[in-house]
DNA sequence: CAGAATAAAGTAATTAATTACTTTCTTTCC
DNA sequence: GGAAAGAAAGTAATTAATTACTTTATTCTG
């Protein structure tokens, strides 16, 4: 009953399977290579396929990137948002989101390179737009949670929510880029809580510490 | 006495002049194009030179990138550090540094793309190392100022300085990437003080507001 | 067996670098 | 100071390698 390991066993796989293998391979490869230098030959080789055969499953390279961007967008949104939705208190939701995002990146180290690589390109490519929309949705979620936190009295009411959203995303980026530079992806999850604690100090501010 | 406008007047320019023109052109081009797609032909055309002639002034493309990285590193370090050194109080120095950095990027919008593009590449290319060292030096400067601020009683003594340095760089990155995504470089300098104000709230924390 | 999947070979375009040769600038020497 | 000689900077064309994508023929699979 070849249900689970169908991917590795069968020699001839249908397009749907090949597509998902390809996306997985691209994300894997981005962990060790600049996306801009990723060739169709390298991708095909990674999934044990000839270069030409790749084009039976994707009409062109641009569409391939579009698929990858779509997968990343869906996955990151699902994981991060669901982490947030498990908490009633806004500050806890923000922290859960933060840690979920960093954890996701730690499990898929190629993704920052992938996203930055797309945003790098000027103009409005389809893949870039997907990433852009994902960031915009993310931003709105953060602002929404900050507003909720103000209502709940957990966040200073005089906070600049737009700036706080930028700083939130910047905190993640800073963390990730720092890890990318030093080549230590393993330190990511370890450092994440420290960064968030500092970040949250900017909007807790006040003197009231209910838990201590 | 052809001293000033030598660049535009002379048809045959010496290597030193051509090198600086090339660096300038590359940074200019990065503002509107992905560095990874920048060809020697495009660069040569920008400075009014044939493609082949470029190799009279640089032995190869890699060395060209190295020169560009070196220029960026020197310039950013000089401008940002000198801005910081004009203040005695650590918090003011940090703010001046922050604004100087953002201002520098606003004047050279291609630089983030350039630096991110280099950091994108895995391995240890010479150009990447220059960028890496620049960031490391920058990080140390920030940590040094935070320590000074603690001594001066301007910064909470229980602060996690390493995390604060990461968040500092992340704040700039977040700001810049946000602007890159939305395509609005003009909003950069406008938003910068708001971000820094929020950032600094994370280490001022306490209730004492000497100025209000 | 019929259709889908694959490998293998081919194409046209692009790119960094080289080459053969020309033009301009700089130095030398009378 | 001015011509002659040499160094430096320039062009235009070419090369070898690489790339995304196509075509053809073969092999697997329901």
């Amino acid at each position: 009953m070849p249900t689970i390991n169908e991917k590795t066993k069968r020699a001839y796989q249908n397009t749907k399977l090949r597509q998902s293998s390809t996306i997985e391979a691209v994300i894997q490869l981005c962990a060790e290579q600049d996306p801009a230098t990723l060739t169709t030959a390298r991708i095909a080789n990674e999934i044990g396929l000839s270069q030409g055969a790749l084009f039976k499953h994707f009409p062109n390279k641009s569409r391939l990137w579009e698929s990858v961007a779509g997968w990343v967008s869906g996955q990151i949104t699902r994981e991060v948002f669901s982490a947030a939705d498990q908490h009633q208190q806004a500050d806890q939701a923000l922290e859960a989101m933060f840690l979920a995002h960093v954890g996701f990146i730690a499990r898929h180290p190629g993704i920052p390179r992938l996203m930055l690589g797309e945003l790098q390109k000027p103009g409005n490519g389809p893949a870039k737009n997907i990433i852009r929309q994902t960031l915009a949705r993310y931003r709105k979620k953060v602002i929404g949670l900050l507003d909720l936190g103000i209502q709940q009295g957990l966040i200073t009411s005089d906070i600049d929510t737009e700036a706080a959203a930028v700083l939130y995303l910047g905190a993640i980026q800073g963390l990730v880029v720092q890890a990318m530079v030093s080549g230590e992806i393993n330190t990511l999850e370890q450092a994440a809580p420290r960064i968030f604690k500092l970040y949250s100090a900017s909007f807790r501010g006040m003197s009231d510490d209910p838990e201590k």
Side-chain angles (χ1 to χ4, degrees), chain A residues 36-209:
Chain A
T37 70
L38 203 54
T39 67
T40 54
R42 181 77 185 84
I43 296 168
N45 176 71
E46 185 74 10
I47 59 176
L49 204 61
S50 68
Q51 188 254 345
L54 208 58
F55 291 91
K56 295 286 178 184
H57 309 297
F58 294 94
N60 53 51
K61 205 188 184 187
S62 172
R63 285 284 195 81
L64 193 161
W65 278 113
E66 208 175 322
S67 294
V68 173
W71 186 90
V72 170
S73 170
Q75 203 68 13
I76 212 170
T77 301
R78 205 166 53 78
E79 292 199 19
V80 170
F81 279 41
S82 83
D85 293 343
Q86 284 175 345
H87 294 82
Q88 275 74 42
Q89 297 191 332
D91 56 345
Q92 288 177 13
L94 280 170
E95 181 166 19
M97 238 176 125
F98 191 92
L99 298 179
H101 193 157
V102 173
F104 179 71
I105 288 171
R107 288 199 316 280
H108 302 101
I111 285 187
R113 248 199 282 269
L114 203 153
M115 293 180 73
L116 283 178
E118 277 304 320
L119 293 178
Q120 208 82 286
K121 313 180 187 170
N124 292 335
K128 181 176 178 181
N129 265 337
I130 291 174
I131 303 293
R132 195 190 291 201
Q133 283 169 20
T134 308
L135 284 181
R137 219 178 315 151
Y138 201 130
R139 233 179 69 91
K140 277 188 184 170
K141 179 78 175 177
V142 172
I143 291 181
L145 282 173
L146 288 168
D147 282 334
L148 178 63
I150 295 173
Q151 280 181 27
Q152 292 174 336
L154 297 166
I155 292 179
T156 329
S157 60
D158 64 348
I159 197 179
D160 182 343
T161 52
E162 282 189 30
V166 171
L167 189 58
Y168 177 97
L169 289 170
I172 296 179
Q173 282 172 37
L175 197 52
V176 169
V177 169
Q178 183 66 26
M180 233 171 75
V181 169
S182 64
E184 301 155 350
I185 319 109
N186 43 333
T187 59
L188 251 187
E189 297 202 72
Q190 174 191 342
R194 289 168 57 194
I195 304 290
F196 185 82
K197 188 181 173 195
L198 188 67
Y199 167 74
S200 64
S202 71
F203 59 68
R204 281 196 235 277
M206 310 297 84
S207 50
D208 52 311
D209 255 355

